[in-house]
Amino acid sequence: MRFDDHDLPRIGLGTNRLRNTGENVTFIRAAVDAGVRMIDTAHLYTGGESEQTIGRALSPMPADVVVATKGGYGGAGHGRPQVLRNEIEQSLRSLGVDRIALYYLHRVDPDTPIEESLGAIKAYVDRGAIAHVGVSEVDVPLIERARGVLPIAAVQNNYSLAERKHDAVVDYCTREGIVFVPYFPLRGADTPAVREIATRRGATPTQIALAWLLARSPVMLPIPGTLSLEHLQENLGALEIALTDAELRALA
Ligand SMILES: NC(=O)c1ccc[n+]([C@@H]2O[C@H](COP(=O)([O-])OP(=O)(O)OC[C@H]3O[C@@H](n4cnc5c(N)ncnc54)[C@H](OP(=O)(O)O)[C@@H]3O)[C@@H](O)[C@H]2O)c1
């Protein structure tokens, strides 16, 4: 998939358990060496250690790696412009970058209109400190309100074989050419139908779960979370699996 003038393999890496250790710095470098080009983090993750580890591992940030981060998580009040400004400033420092490639509003604040939260993020876009903006856990009407403020490049929602409540959002993103990033993408891999297809193909059930997502839409870019290089390589292997129509029907 094309993003920010680069080719992105459609499997990324989730980092919500990443602690700032030497071993994990090595892991993030190895992930990039293995071909990962979308690394997903957030201000919230591991109390800031996830962003710090990525910054430590990749400084200076390679131009073709998209490190996506997020702010505004935590419920009422956390989407206020001042809270977001503080979090964006911290994320820029932790990641060691002048420009964040992709910045998501992590949650819509029930007490702050999405227009106000995104207005704060837009100020950073206007000054070149954020390149692209996304939203997370949103329905289609909220995406449309967000697009009234600024272009939305990505939507990140809970979606997998086991969680289909955002089918309408996937279809909308497909039509509009917005990257859809499913979080918890490996849920639902442990069913008889998945195991049967995996066994027949000599693949793992998690690879089949990812291959199903990739077949669901050309804008789909799952970010399975792992701290294991072996699992990461296995997850990238799903890019080579094209499920047949019969297999897709068995998983429908
Ligand atoms: N936007 C949001 O609100 C939101 C919410 C939650 C998560 N996220 C993002 O989504 C990412 C993905 O979610 P997640 O990491 O919680 O859930 P996940 O990707 O569904 O699952 C992660 C779990 O699967 C294991 N795993 C990964 N690859 C595997 C493989 N090939 N074989 C067997 N097990 C494997 C991991 O353990 P190992 O370490 O042992 O591989 C870990 O226990 C997060 O890291 C985060 O970046 C976003």
Side-chain angles (χ1 to χ4, degrees), residues 48-110:
E49 288 188 37
S50 174
E51 288 185 329
Q52 288 158 13
T53 312
I54 294 163
R56 207 177 134 196
L58 300 184
S59 188
M61 192 66 70
D64 63 342
V65 175
V66 175
V67 174
T69 193
K70 323 180 188 74
Y73 189 96
H78 288 263
R80 279 182 289 122
Q82 191 52 47
V83 173
L84 281 164
R85 283 192 286 269
N86 287 342
E87 294 192 359
I88 293 168
E89 295 294 342
Q90 283 177 25
S91 293
L92 284 162
R93 278 197 300 277
S94 297
L95 293 170
V97 295
D98 298 328
R99 192 186 79 141
I100 293 169
L102 173 58
Y103 193 87
Y104 294 94
L105 179 62
H106 204 158
R107 284 292 182 278
V108 178
D109 178 346

Side-chain angles (χ1 to χ4, degrees), residues 13-17 40-41 45 70 73 106-107 136-137 156 182-187 204 206 223-228 231-232 234-235:
L13 171 66
T15 65
N16 62 354
R17 290 176 296 131
D40 187 83
T41 182
Y45 293 168
K70 323 180 188 74
Y73 189 96
H106 204 158
R107 284 292 182 278
S136 179
E137 260 331 276
Q156 184 171 140
Y183 73 80
F184 297 154
L186 303 179
R187 307 260 164 113
T204 66
T206 49
I223 45 163
T226 184
L227 295 171
S228 144
H231 283 169
L232 178 139
E234 185 181 310
N235 295 340

Side-chain angles (χ1 to χ4, degrees), residues 7-8 10 20-21 28 33 38 40 48 69 76 86 104 128 130-131 144 152 157 164 171 174 227 241 244-247:
D7 281 322
L8 283 192
R10 287 203 295 139
N20 193 352
T21 64
I28 292 296
D33 287 346
M38 167 72 84
D40 187 83
T69 193
N86 287 342
Y104 294 94
I130 289 176
E144 295 200 319
I152 292 298
N157 282 1
R164 318 267 183 108
D171 292 339
T174 307
L227 295 171
I241 301 174
T244 64
D245 289 345
E247 288 169 334

Side-chain angles (χ1 to χ4, degrees), residues 42-252:
H43 180 267
L44 171 86
Y45 293 168
T46 48
E49 288 188 37
S50 174
E51 288 185 329
Q52 288 158 13
T53 312
I54 294 163
R56 207 177 134 196
L58 300 184
S59 188
M61 192 66 70
D64 63 342
V65 175
V66 175
V67 174
T69 193
K70 323 180 188 74
Y73 189 96
H78 288 263
R80 279 182 289 122
Q82 191 52 47
V83 173
L84 281 164
R85 283 192 286 269
N86 287 342
E87 294 192 359
I88 293 168
E89 295 294 342
Q90 283 177 25
S91 293
L92 284 162
R93 278 197 300 277
S94 297
L95 293 170
V97 295
D98 298 328
R99 192 186 79 141
I100 293 169
L102 173 58
Y103 193 87
Y104 294 94
L105 179 62
H106 204 158
R107 284 292 182 278
V108 178
D109 178 346
D111 287 354
T112 309
I114 190 170
E115 288 81 2
E116 263 181 52
S117 303
L118 289 172
I121 295 173
K122 183 175 183 298
Y124 285 83
V125 174
D126 291 344
R127 77 173 78 138
I130 289 176
H132 300 281
V133 175
V135 281
S136 179
E137 260 331 276
V138 284
D139 58 14
V140 170
L142 274 171
I143 301 170
E144 295 200 319
R145 278 175 62 187
R147 294 177 86 190
V149 180
L150 80 183
I152 292 298
V155 170
Q156 184 171 140
N157 282 1
N158 185 355
Y159 190 79
S160 63
L161 274 169
E163 178 53 85
R164 318 267 183 108
K165 71 176 177 223
H166 287 302
D167 267 326
V169 175
V170 175
D171 292 339
Y172 177 88
C173 288
T174 307
R175 275 198 310 277
E176 299 293 320
I178 296 171
V179 180
F180 184 89
V181 177
Y183 73 80
F184 297 154
L186 303 179
R187 307 260 164 113
D190 193 23
T191 66
V194 175
R195 281 198 299 273
E196 193 268 319
I197 294 170
T199 304
R200 197 155 25 82
R201 281 180 165 265
T204 66
T206 49
Q207 286 179 319
I208 300 303
L210 290 170
W212 177 82
L213 283 167
L214 296 174
R216 173 68 180 79
S217 166
V219 300
M220 189 76 69
L221 201 165
I223 45 163
T226 184
L227 295 171
S228 144
L229 189 57
E230 196 183 319
H231 283 169
L232 178 139
Q233 283 163 335
E234 185 181 310
N235 295 340
L236 287 172
L239 292 166
E240 311 303 323
I241 301 174
L243 295 177
T244 64
D245 289 345
E247 288 169 334
L248 291 171
R249 274 196 302 278
L251 299 175

